[in-house]
Amino acid sequence: MAQRNLGLDLGAHAVKGVLLDSTYRGYAVVDTARVPVQAATEGGPPLVARQAEAVRALLAERGWRPDAVITAFPGAAASSHVLTLPFTDPRRIEQTVGFEVEGQIPFDLEDVAWDWQPLHAHDGKTDLHVAVVRKEELAALVAALGDAGVDPRAVVPAGPAYAALFATGAVAGEEAPPAEPGALVPADLILDVGHERTSVCVVAGGLAEAARTFPFGAAHLARVVSRDLGLSEADALAAVVSRDARDPRVDEALPRALAPLVRELRATLRAWRARAGARPVRRFVLCGELARLPALAEAVAPEAEGAIGPLELAGPAAERIAPEDAPGLALALALALRGHQGARAPRLNLRRGALAYTRDFEHVKGKVTRLGVFAALLVVLAVMSSGVRLFALARQEKALDDALCASEQRILGKCYASFEEAQAILRGRGTPGAAIPRVSAVEVFAELAQRVPDVPLRLDRMEVTKDKLHLQGTTDAAENVDKIVSALQASRCFGDARSGGARRRGSDGKFEFSIDAGITCLESGPAAPGGRG
């Protein structure tokens, strides 16, 4: 059964969502939407409340009912830290990382929500991406979204989320060629410049190796252009994001306005290469409101070794998302695909501890309850089935007893309570005929003659009673006695034959022996079955 995942990008300028159906075999984009966030007013609601209201409007407009919602913490308030631990064992990392995080932040660990995911393992060490946010800010976000009818299963920092685009094959382009042994694997870089924040994610092999989010976006460019050219911020923003012909003065101001972004990008790449090695970045993928701004590609070109261009999608994502919309929906799509990854996604989720998502537990409780009801029904059905079978067997047994009783009545003139008693009467037990042996001495002698092996042998004495055989005689060798005993033991009449010993006679050197055996062929066969129940 498909699970419907919703990725929510809570931007300062607009809320964007991508809804997809996720199955074990793949995914399909169901719908996309974008709703503007109400502009700030003096004394008006805070940004998080306005974003939640936009989410409410988006769900109402589209009629979406997602099974799981994954969102990125809005803005750049979620700080990122890179820690290097001198081991790779996840259990040791879990036990140690909390102490390291506490030394990196100016807050008590109880006052923050935090989590980590591995970035890169090398030389017996592990680099970790640690995301930290004030617990009160995360609680305010969860509460605001809850009022809008959304309980996100995961809240993640924006930076690492973009790796899901590469891990699921949603980014178009040629696959990286197999690296030669010992060579550094080329990486891809996503640069998402939004309205108020910029996110950077370096991806290799579908996994994030570096990620951060910092405050910079189209609004910052608009403020610089507004100051330099004397325009209002609204007009400056329109001039920056417009794809039509612009004032040449705007193009001259943009390189200066983009300088802080380039500086932060260069610092991010320098820190990443210091940890992961001087590997090349084979392409820059641009996303966000400014993905198609020529000045942006020109500004970051000195930091790239390969191609630079807006995000182009592939696979199921490209079938539903128009190429011109892909860069703006990159984060929302990445978050939805992170939900599609399920257990394969990195473990990073700021909703832990007291703020953890609880619907999964409630869902499990509901399933356990249903399973309990089903199990009880199965037990009842099993008991009923066993009762029916026992009733049928009892009826069958009674029918057999009645048939046996009728046979005894016809043959013996009486119906006996025990089958053994009837069998004894049929055999003559308790009557003079019972003393007559069922096997004659002639038959015993015939069996003995047939079983005695072909060895030098003289029988001097042979006694046959009703149930025993005793032999005495002489032979040339002691081992002949063992041969005779073995041959008799293979008989149906002398199965317990045993030697009484062999003694060499001094007069002629022959061996005197004796053999005893019970005559088992006198029995009529195996014991009869028990009486009727």
Side-chain angles (χ1 to χ4, degrees):
M1 181 177 179
Q3 174 173 287
R4 188 150 286 191
N5 293 314
L6 172 61
L8 275 181
D9 176 6
L10 305 177
H13 190 61
V15 166
K16 287 161 277 189
V18 173
L19 187 70
L20 59 83
D21 278 342
S22 175
T23 65
Y24 179 77
R25 294 185 177 183
Y27 71 91
V29 176
V30 177
D31 198 5
T32 65
R34 173 191 174 100
V35 172
V37 174
Q38 181 184 356
T41 57
E42 186 175 354
L47 176 60
V48 66
R50 290 182 280 122
Q51 289 170 326
E53 187 59 33
V55 170
R56 186 198 305 274
L58 184 148
L59 295 178
E61 174 187 322
R62 296 292 182 171
W64 291 350
R65 295 292 183 269
D67 299 314
V69 177
I70 301 90
T71 186
F73 193 84
S79 62
S80 298
H81 305 269
V82 176
L83 300 179
T84 301
L85 298 181
F87 38 77
T88 59
D89 182 17
R91 190 177 304 173
R92 294 184 64 189
I93 292 174
E94 189 70 51
Q95 295 170 349
T96 308
V97 66
F99 301 101
E100 298 293 332
V101 172
E102 195 166 21
Q104 296 278 338
I105 60 176
F107 310 105
D108 291 334
L109 208 58
E110 293 78 13
D111 297 333
V112 298
W114 64 279
D115 200 13
W116 60 273
Q117 75 176 52
L119 290 176
H120 183 61
H122 56 94
D123 302 326
K125 303 176 183 179
T126 305
D127 296 329
L128 306 177
H129 177 94
V130 179
V132 181
V133 67
R134 293 286 299 273
K135 191 174 289 186
E136 61 185 24
E137 296 180 10
L138 179 61
L141 173 65
V142 173
L145 291 176
D147 292 340
V150 171
D151 186 13
R153 176 171 294 177
V155 177
V156 302
Y162 293 95
L165 295 172
F166 292 90
T168 56
V171 180
E174 297 181 359
E175 295 291 334
E180 298 180 0
L184 294 174
V185 179
D188 298 295
L189 182 141
I190 278 194
L191 180 65
D192 189 335
V193 184
H195 189 72
E196 292 281 358
R197 71 179 177 188
T198 293
S199 296
V200 180
C201 183
V202 180
V203 184
L207 301 175
E209 290 202 349
R212 65 179 297 218
T213 299
F214 51 88
F216 184 92
H220 295 77
L221 295 180
R223 284 192 285 271
V224 173
V225 172
S226 171
R227 184 181 64 247
D228 289 355
L229 304 184
L231 302 174
S232 67
E233 287 195 12
D235 291 340
L237 178 61
V240 168
V241 300
S242 174
R243 299 180 188 177
D244 301 328
R246 288 193 299 268
D247 189 331
R249 296 178 301 165
V250 175
D251 292 333
E252 294 176 2
L254 283 177
R256 295 192 302 274
L258 287 167
L261 182 147
V262 176
R263 186 166 53 249
E264 294 293 340
L265 175 61
R266 185 178 296 125
T268 302
L269 290 174
R270 186 182 299 116
W272 165 65
R273 287 186 172 115
R275 298 191 317 270
R279 69 176 68 188
V281 178
R282 69 187 184 107
R283 59 178 168 176
F284 272 37
V285 179
L286 303 181
C287 303
E289 294 184 30
L290 304 182
R292 301 187 185 279
L293 183 65
L296 176 61
E298 294 171 3
V300 300
E303 309 302 323
E305 292 92 349
I308 303 175
L311 171 66
E312 295 180 5
L313 296 176
E319 297 173 4
R320 192 62 188 266
I321 299 176
E324 60 272 17
D325 296 332
L329 294 173
L331 180 56
L333 175 61
L335 293 168
L337 290 174
R338 189 180 178 98
H340 165 66
Q341 286 181 284
R344 296 168 294 170
R347 54 158 282 155
L348 185 58
N349 184 3
L350 293 172
R351 292 201 66 178
R352 295 191 178 275
L355 296 173
Y357 179 76
T358 59
R359 294 287 181 88
D360 278 340
F361 179 67
E362 295 172 2
H363 181 61
V364 169
K365 284 199 303 183
K367 282 192 172 182
V368 169
T369 302
R370 290 195 294 272
L371 287 175
V373 173
F374 293 153
L377 288 175
L378 288 176
V379 170
V380 171
L381 290 175
V383 171
M384 293 178 61
S385 175
S386 299
V388 170
R389 292 178 62 187
L390 289 174
F391 178 73
L393 289 174
R395 291 189 59 182
Q396 186 177 8
E397 184 179 10
K398 184 177 184 305
L400 291 173
D401 286 345
D402 292 344
L404 182 60
C405 182
S407 299
E408 293 172 355
Q409 189 74 36
R410 288 196 306 270
I411 298 172
L412 301 176
K414 180 180 178 182
C415 179
Y416 292 88
S418 170
F419 176 75
E420 287 87 351
E421 184 178 358
Q423 190 178 44
I425 296 299
L426 287 171
R427 290 177 176 177
R429 189 174 300 170
T431 65
I436 301 175
R438 299 184 64 83
V439 180
S440 67
V442 173
E443 292 173 319
V444 172
F445 290 147
E447 180 71 13
L448 178 62
Q450 183 180 356
R451 293 296 177 179
V452 170
D454 187 14
V455 296
L457 170 67
R458 176 187 174 84
L459 292 176
D460 299 321
R461 183 179 180 182
M462 181 169 57
E463 295 181 5
V464 179
T465 65
K466 181 180 177 181
D467 52 7
K468 289 185 179 180
L469 169 70
H470 176 73
L471 301 177
Q472 289 182 355
T474 59
T475 184
D476 293 345
E479 57 269 20
N480 291 342
V481 180
D482 295 333
K483 293 180 181 180
I484 298 171
V485 170
S486 298
L488 294 180
Q489 288 176 345
S491 167
R492 67 183 182 87
C493 291
F494 315 117
D496 63 345
R498 56 199 177 279
S499 171
R503 182 176 61 83
R504 187 168 186 171
R505 197 161 55 188
S507 59
D508 55 5
K510 293 186 180 294
F511 288 85
E512 296 179 344
F513 67 90
S514 64
I515 295 175
D516 293 286
I519 301 179
T520 55
C521 58
L522 295 179
E523 299 178 2
S524 60
R532 295 184 293 270

